[in-house]
Amino acid sequence: MSVRIVSTGSFLGSNVVDNKKLFSKIHNFDKERALETLKKKGNDVQNLADDELFDLWVKQVCGVSQRVFFSEDQIEDKKGPTQLTEYMGYMAAKDALSYKNIDPKTIQHVIFCSYTPIQLMPNPACLCAHYLGIENASAFHMNTACSSFLDGMGIAYMMIKSGEYDRILVISADTMSINIDFNDITTAILFGDGACAAVLERNTEKKGIYSYYSTTNYNNEMLNMDYGKPIRMSGGPLVQRNAVNAMSHSLEKACEKAKISPDQIDYLIPHQANLRIVHRLADKLNIPYERTLQSVAYTGNVSGASIGIGLDHALKGKIETLKIPKGSLLGLTTVGGGYTYSGMVCKV
């Protein structure tokens, strides 16, 4: 008996915030330092307006061109939750269920992954299960920061493998736009809002999830977030090195458990922290960029949901530069505050 990902879904709001639009919210842009950085990289910065300079600098620093911010005025489905994070998760779950015509009543368990839920009790998984029409299912909320969605799928995988469950819905959503300090430019340029979902089920075929690996390495200094306060990140270059090493380690361990080598992976699906990290990871694993997910350019870092949004878009042909054919072997890997890091090998 194996477990497969039978359907995926995602949700992004309508308020697309490109770098020039974001510039109006930033209060401490160091223009001189940006000019120096861009000139060193050979960019022509003459006659650029401040917002154009900011746009070019952000693209160079983290590879993000735009992100989406979600707000209450964008809530269109009045039959769903009214809380921002929970609503996005609900919409992504609706997308996953409808894509393969899955009856909500066949879902036996719901996992909602987030570190920015608006409501703590009832937990977001219970809330979404109610609005989705999922009956008599168990449900819980979990948080491993940006690793949450992959860890949620890993837990669902193990629950189904135990023989106790046949079909589980995993949802991941985060509203970062209300948890950003726009005076902290290191985080303000990175994050966006969004949600993803996946339905996992028992499978008699060979294809499916081959392995899952997860571990932690405690560090509260470089990346942290307290209740009611914005996310904080310090030591950027070291955080990036740690992220690359952690994701490389996780995928290598997942491959080891699957009894394959990383070079057998058809497509690399990493957490979309920033484009530099994605490229450095691909280089370290010797996987070409054209076989690597790079959706961070248009979504920003959507925390736990970033890997699921990108995967959903790639599987459905929404990314022109990355279309994943059926039967492909994927290497998923992620890292989050904690540090938490995880890897998974699966066929789709």
Side-chain angles (χ1 to χ4, degrees), residues 245-256:
N245 291 335
M247 287 197 285
S248 174
H249 169 81
S250 295
L251 186 55
E252 287 168 352
K253 286 293 185 181
C255 287
E256 186 179 309

Side-chain angles (χ1 to χ4, degrees), residues 173-231:
D174 278 300
T175 311
M176 295 306 299
S177 58
I178 59 174
N179 291 286
I180 292 172
D181 178 0
F182 288 99
N183 290 309
D184 178 11
I185 200 166
T186 59
T187 56
I189 63 175
L190 285 176
F191 291 99
D193 303 337
C196 66
V199 178
L200 280 68
E201 68 176 17
R202 187 190 301 261
N203 179 36
T204 55
E205 301 175 22
K206 288 185 178 180
K207 69 176 182 179
I209 296 174
Y210 285 31
S211 65
Y212 164 67
Y213 170 84
S214 181
T215 190
T216 62
N217 182 10
Y218 183 76
N219 187 312
N220 188 43
E221 300 299 321
M222 295 183 181
L223 197 58
N224 59 74
M225 181 176 170
D226 294 328
Y227 275 112
K229 295 183 179 180
I231 189 169

